[in-house]
Amino acid sequence: MHEDFPRIDPIRLLDDLKTLRSFGATGPGVVRLSLSPVDIDARRWLAGRMTDAGLDAAIDGVGTVFGRSRKPGPALVIGSHSDTQPTGGWLDGALGVIYGLEIARALGECEATREFAVDVASWIDEEGTFSSFLGSRSFVGDAIDDSLRSARNHEGLLLGDALAQAGLANTPRVTLDRKRQRAYLEPHIEQGGRLEASAKLIGVVTTIVGIREFQLRFIGQRNHAGTTPMAIRRDAGAALVAFIAHIDDAFGRLADADTVWTVGRIDLDPGSFSVVPGKAVLHLQFRDANPNRLHAMENALVALVDEWNGQHLVRAELIACEGAEEPVTMDAALQQHLAQAADALAPGQWMHMPSGASHDAQVIAQHIPACMLFVPSIGGVSHDFIEDTAEQHIVLGCEVAARAAARIAGALRR
Amino acid sequence: MHEDFPRIDPIRLLDDLKTLRSFGATGPGVVRLSLSPVDIDARRWLAGRMTDAGLDAAIDGVGTVFGRSRKPGPALVIGSHSDTQPTGGWLDGALGVIYGLEIARALGECEATREFAVDVASWIDEEGTFSSFLGSRSFVGDAIDDSLRSARNHEGLLLGDALAQAGLANTPRVTLDRKRQRAYLEPHIEQGGRLEASAKLIGVVTTIVGIREFQLRFIGQRNHAGTTPMAIRRDAGAALVAFIAHIDDAFGRLADADTVWTVGRIDLDPGSFSVVPGKAVLHLQFRDANPNRLHAMENALVALVDEWNGQHLVRAELIACEGAEEPVTMDAALQQHLAQAADALAPGQWMHMPSGASHDAQVIAQHIPACMLFVPSIGGVSHDFIEDTAEQHIVLGCEVAARAAARIAGALRR
């Protein structure tokens, strides 16, 4: 019987996911920080499983595990990251890596696709233990010399020393071969509650949203909270609270349903019951898929600060922070392949959606066509020990990703 | 020539104030924490100056300097505190102590008042380095055993050990003799900007305001700030900010011009750009001279929390904190003496006003009639190195206080 499409092995898929989970397992979650001993152990195991699958696999000079198909190109790269947050879940990143491994095996086992080249990657340090997206940035040729020289983890360990301890100091780094590697697919858990709320099982990502981060500082007059009448106070904390309402008004008028903004931190100085705050700082982040809307929100913020300073004695200052990221659109043709695979295997149960979180795909999409597929996160929870996805949804996601990968790899050859 | 009223010596007054300032002088300010070596040195000097003035003076078993007049009672006690905040000004507390010393001298030098008894005190630890109002609480017989056993300063030194180091372990404590000590006068800097704003030079205190302190905690759902749409967030920080507007509305309706309320601290958890806060806490203090208004504000707060919890998914919790103080009314007859002295020496330049700050007078007023006189604070600043009062205002304040003391001491004898 001729099979048009590869078939994944659900038992093998789940077994590999659960074995990867065992590296750093902590209760239901995982603690597997980039380049920690347990992360290196996991990478060695992963390179071994890739080798078992017929790939030429190795850990490269920054820690990325790369399994190169022995088939000639053009190749589809499938991957994600296997490092975790300090209190990580078992699927964030790991899911996309093991999907890649399983899809490489499944295509190799299917008559129609066995000549297709699928390279598999686990990019190092997506989570930024040392330097966010280090592996994917190194792969595409972005400058990472500053990170290699001076990035440190929370314990103060230099990235260079961590690589030396892992025996990677003189190991070559894998780099993008544009002639061979023509497309990138990153499967991932959603990390939000939108699929669940919409009763959908597959998300086809349209855009990875852009991010802006600002500090807003308010300079008033520190005073005794008992002896200073309300009428003559210049309370920096009260100004901060009033300003947040203006932000909510202005952003609410500009937003669509996917726009998000967050005040994640507030500090009042000196921070005691009996003192009217003389200084106050808030941390504001906003995200949107539309670069024009991000720009409009930024302009609105600048205008609010100007207007405020024209009307109030407590002075507001806007400080742009590092961490700005532009929205990245996923490749339309690749999205189409994902959509057709989802339509075939989960008709009526998939949707287009933006990614509110950052991913290695946004780095790689600057250089080759890239796409992402989401599976649901139970309760929308991620970066937490209790992060989870139903097993049948994990399997379905891999079936859709494999079908799409076969379509994409086939198209690359035409 | 017969003099009806005592005359203070401005040079002697200012010299003694400046000598006291030299103990712990730090730039224009003073660091003289309770029972520190420099504070003990200052207390020894002060006891010496009281002895020079003809008082029976000693440092008592908790560190209070008490100078007892050799005249038979009834006696007026005049005093304040000579300890400072960690970044203290030169006048806060010190002014009232040196006023007491100068007034005792001036009354003794005036024919009409030389038989009047004025006892002078510098109560230990008004500022709470170990335990607030320790000296005045000990004097009136309040229980201070817990403080003596377990109070520590910021460096972890036990109060008992600090007293032993100062050689005071077996020294008796001075206590209120109700038959002798019939009234208390505490002159003090205003510590606010009301006299200055009203172009007045003397404040006659009507009431020391009461204080309430609460924590308001908000319990929401911690979430990823990129993947969680605004519509399904339970943002504890946003709830906190919205709630503050309700507090301002409710308190604004209950307040008079002297009511104050302060949000002095806000903590969002976990406090990062990328996480929707799951928990948020604010510290709220309010003060008023009217116990009924304090009660109404407290009731309004409870009602706001109930109403909130009926309408929102983020839950609010109200936690009453230690540090509640009831308003304390100053004795009407003593206020009258201060007002008549001010009318004579600063006609049209004095006003009645509440004290927004706490003072030893509120402890002593529970046991004998008490009153307070304020002099202006430049820019309303206190608890800061730059705290100051114009020299002519210091002198005028002492003249008014001496005239009032003569009136009070005379009245006590009738």
Side-chain angles (χ1 to χ4, degrees):
Chain A
M1 179 183 127
H2 177 77
E3 290 179 343
D4 277 340
F5 288 106
R7 293 210 162 175
I8 66 149
D9 179 339
I11 304 298
R12 187 171 58 182
L13 166 70
L14 294 170
D15 279 354
D16 278 343
L17 263 177
K18 288 170 187 171
T19 303
L20 181 49
R21 176 187 208 162
S22 72
F23 294 94
T26 307
V30 174
V31 179
R32 196 167 58 227
L33 296 172
S34 279
L35 298 177
S36 63
V38 76
D39 179 49
I40 296 296
D41 287 348
R43 287 173 191 278
R44 292 204 180 104
W45 169 82
L46 193 57
R49 290 301 282 160
M50 290 181 183
T51 304
D52 295 344
L55 304 173
D56 278 333
I59 306 175
D60 90 338
V62 291
T64 289
V65 186
F66 199 86
R68 184 183 160 106
S69 167
R70 289 178 179 145
K71 309 284 159 50
L76 165 66
V77 183
I78 306 178
S80 189
H81 62 96
S82 53
D83 65 308
T84 73
Q85 286 275 326
T87 56
W90 75 293
L91 293 171
D92 182 347
L95 179 111
V97 172
I98 300 299
Y99 272 21
L101 172 64
E102 177 58 25
I103 292 168
R105 289 186 296 224
L107 264 65
E109 291 160 359
C110 167
E111 197 175 320
T113 59
R114 68 166 46 117
E115 292 309 314
F116 294 1
V118 171
D119 298 346
V120 182
S122 171
W123 315 112
I124 193 75
D125 208 19
E126 192 266 354
E127 299 289 9
T129 295
F130 293 93
S131 181
S132 297
F133 310 121
L134 179 67
S136 52
R137 288 191 294 126
S138 169
F139 179 69
V140 299
D142 285 356
I144 61 163
D145 290 352
D146 275 0
S147 299
L148 288 173
R149 200 163 32 237
S150 57
R152 295 177 187 270
N153 68 9
H154 277 294
E155 289 164 347
L157 180 66
L158 277 168
L159 172 56
D161 293 341
L163 289 169
Q165 285 172 20
L168 299 172
N170 298 306
T171 309
R173 284 151 50 184
V174 63
T175 52
L176 174 64
D177 174 355
R178 278 181 181 71
K179 292 214 181 73
R180 171 186 173 81
Q181 288 134 352
R182 303 279 185 84
Y184 176 67
L185 164 61
E186 182 163 357
H188 206 281
I189 57 168
E190 178 194 352
Q191 301 184 260
R194 200 174 309 218
L195 288 173
E196 204 175 62
S198 310
K200 304 290 185 191
L201 302 179
I202 300 288
V204 174
V205 175
T206 52
T207 310
I208 299 173
V209 301
I211 303 179
R212 294 290 183 280
E213 292 181 348
F214 291 90
Q215 279 191 23
L216 265 161
R217 295 189 195 166
F218 296 85
I219 315 295
Q221 174 68 52
R222 178 172 164 168
N223 258 317
H224 191 296
T227 60
T228 315
M230 303 303 280
I232 65 169
R233 291 184 177 197
R234 287 191 283 152
D235 182 331
L240 177 148
V241 167
F243 200 96
I244 289 173
H246 293 305
I247 295 173
D248 288 340
D249 279 352
F251 284 10
R253 268 181 269 117
L254 293 168
D256 74 3
D258 292 330
T259 311
V260 291
W261 63 98
T262 307
V263 174
R265 182 178 180 120
I266 295 174
D267 291 297
L268 307 187
D269 181 82
S272 85
F273 273 113
S274 287
V275 186
V276 178
K279 284 186 272 185
V281 183
L282 69 81
H283 289 201
L284 173 69
Q285 182 192 76
F286 50 94
R287 305 193 189 209
D288 200 84
N290 181 340
N292 294 331
R293 183 177 288 115
L294 284 174
H295 200 63
M297 293 170 81
E298 198 167 336
N299 286 345
L301 206 49
V302 170
L304 283 179
V305 168
D306 285 347
E307 190 182 6
W308 177 274
N309 285 330
Q311 295 172 353
H312 297 84
L313 289 173
V314 175
R315 182 166 178 78
E317 291 175 10
L318 183 67
I319 298 131
C321 299
E322 290 184 25
E325 294 174 8
E326 295 307 313
V328 178
T329 304
M330 298 291 95
D331 182 78
L334 298 185
Q335 283 188 56
Q336 188 66 15
H337 288 302
L338 287 172
Q340 286 172 344
D343 243 357
L345 296 172
Q349 296 189 292
W350 67 276
M351 63 194 279
H352 285 291
M353 64 185 295
S355 170
S358 304
H359 296 287
D360 288 301
Q362 74 198 57
V363 175
I364 295 167
Q366 310 295 325
H367 300 270
I368 57 173
C371 64
M372 291 195 73
L373 172 146
F374 280 169
V375 298
S377 295
I378 294 173
V381 175
S382 72
H383 291 183
D384 191 295
F385 286 160
I386 64 165
E387 165 199 295
D388 206 1
T389 298
E391 282 199 356
Q392 70 269 32
H393 298 164
I394 293 173
V395 170
L396 176 66
C398 194
E399 285 168 343
V400 173
R403 171 87 53 124
R407 296 181 55 97
I408 294 166
L412 292 179
R413 296 163 68 84
R414 284 194 292 275
Chain B
M1 179 183 130
H2 177 79
E3 289 178 344
D4 277 340
F5 288 106
R7 293 209 162 176
I8 65 149
D9 179 339
I11 305 297
R12 186 172 59 182
L13 166 71
L14 292 170
D15 279 354
D16 278 341
L17 263 176
K18 288 170 187 171
T19 302
L20 181 49
R21 177 187 207 160
S22 72
F23 294 93
T26 307
V30 175
V31 179
R32 196 167 57 226
L33 296 172
S34 279
L35 298 176
S36 63
V38 76
D39 179 50
I40 295 296
D41 287 348
R43 286 172 192 279
R44 292 204 180 104
W45 169 82
L46 193 58
R49 289 301 280 159
M50 289 181 184
T51 303
D52 295 344
L55 304 173
D56 279 332
I59 305 176
D60 88 338
V62 291
T64 291
V65 186
F66 200 86
R68 185 183 159 107
S69 168
R70 287 177 181 147
K71 308 284 158 48
L76 165 66
V77 183
I78 306 178
S80 189
H81 61 96
S82 54
D83 65 309
T84 73
Q85 286 275 326
T87 57
W90 75 294
L91 294 172
D92 183 346
L95 178 111
V97 171
I98 301 298
Y99 271 21
L101 172 63
E102 177 58 24
I103 292 168
R105 290 187 294 226
L107 265 65
E109 292 160 359
C110 168
E111 197 176 317
T113 59
R114 71 166 43 118
E115 292 309 314
F116 294 2
V118 171
D119 298 347
V120 181
S122 170
W123 315 112
I124 192 75
D125 208 19
E126 193 266 355
E127 299 289 10
T129 295
F130 292 92
S131 182
S132 296
F133 309 119
L134 178 67
S136 50
R137 289 191 293 125
S138 168
F139 179 68
V140 300
D142 285 357
I144 61 163
D145 290 351
D146 275 1
S147 299
L148 288 174
R149 201 163 29 237
S150 58
R152 293 176 189 272
N153 68 8
H154 276 298
E155 290 165 345
L157 180 65
L158 277 168
L159 172 57
D161 293 342
L163 289 169
Q165 285 172 20
L168 299 173
N170 298 307
T171 308
R173 284 152 51 186
V174 63
T175 52
L176 173 63
D177 174 356
R178 278 182 182 70
K179 290 215 184 74
R180 171 185 175 80
Q181 288 132 354
R182 302 279 184 83
Y184 177 68
L185 164 61
E186 182 163 357
H188 206 280
I189 58 167
E190 178 194 352
Q191 300 184 261
R194 200 175 307 218
L195 288 173
E196 204 175 65
S198 309
K200 305 290 185 190
L201 302 179
I202 299 289
V204 174
V205 175
T206 52
T207 309
I208 299 172
V209 302
I211 303 179
R212 294 289 184 280
E213 292 183 347
F214 291 90
Q215 278 192 21
L216 265 161
R217 295 190 193 164
F218 297 84
I219 314 296
Q221 174 67 51
R222 179 173 163 166
N223 258 317
H224 191 296
T227 60
T228 314
M230 303 303 278
I232 66 169
R233 291 184 177 196
R234 287 190 283 153
D235 182 330
L240 177 149
V241 167
F243 200 95
I244 289 173
H246 293 306
I247 294 173
D248 288 341
D249 280 351
F251 284 10
R253 270 181 267 116
L254 293 168
D256 74 4
D258 293 329
T259 310
V260 291
W261 62 100
T262 308
V263 174
R265 182 178 182 122
I266 294 175
D267 292 298
L268 307 187
D269 182 83
S272 86
F273 274 113
S274 288
V275 185
V276 178
K279 284 185 272 186
V281 182
L282 68 80
H283 288 202
L284 173 68
Q285 182 193 77
F286 49 95
R287 305 193 189 209
D288 199 85
N290 180 340
N292 295 331
R293 184 177 289 114
L294 284 174
H295 199 64
M297 293 170 81
E298 197 168 336
N299 285 345
L301 206 50
V302 170
L304 283 178
V305 168
D306 285 348
E307 190 183 5
W308 177 274
N309 285 330
Q311 294 172 355
H312 296 84
L313 290 173
V314 175
R315 181 167 179 76
E317 291 175 11
L318 182 68
I319 297 130
C321 298
E322 292 183 24
E325 294 174 9
E326 295 308 314
V328 177
T329 304
M330 297 291 95
D331 182 78
L334 298 185
Q335 282 188 58
Q336 188 66 14
H337 289 302
L338 287 171
Q340 286 173 345
D343 241 358
L345 296 172
Q349 295 189 293
W350 67 275
M351 63 192 280
H352 286 291
M353 65 185 295
S355 169
S358 305
H359 295 288
D360 288 301
Q362 73 199 57
V363 175
I364 295 168
Q366 311 294 326
H367 299 272
I368 56 174
C371 64
M372 291 195 73
L373 173 147
F374 280 169
V375 299
S377 294
I378 294 174
V381 175
S382 71
H383 291 184
D384 192 294
F385 286 160
I386 64 165
E387 165 199 295
D388 206 1
T389 299
E391 283 198 357
Q392 71 268 33
H393 298 164
I394 292 174
V395 170
L396 175 67
C398 194
E399 286 168 342
V400 173
R403 170 89 53 125
R407 296 181 55 96
I408 294 166
L412 291 179
R413 296 163 67 84
R414 282 194 291 273

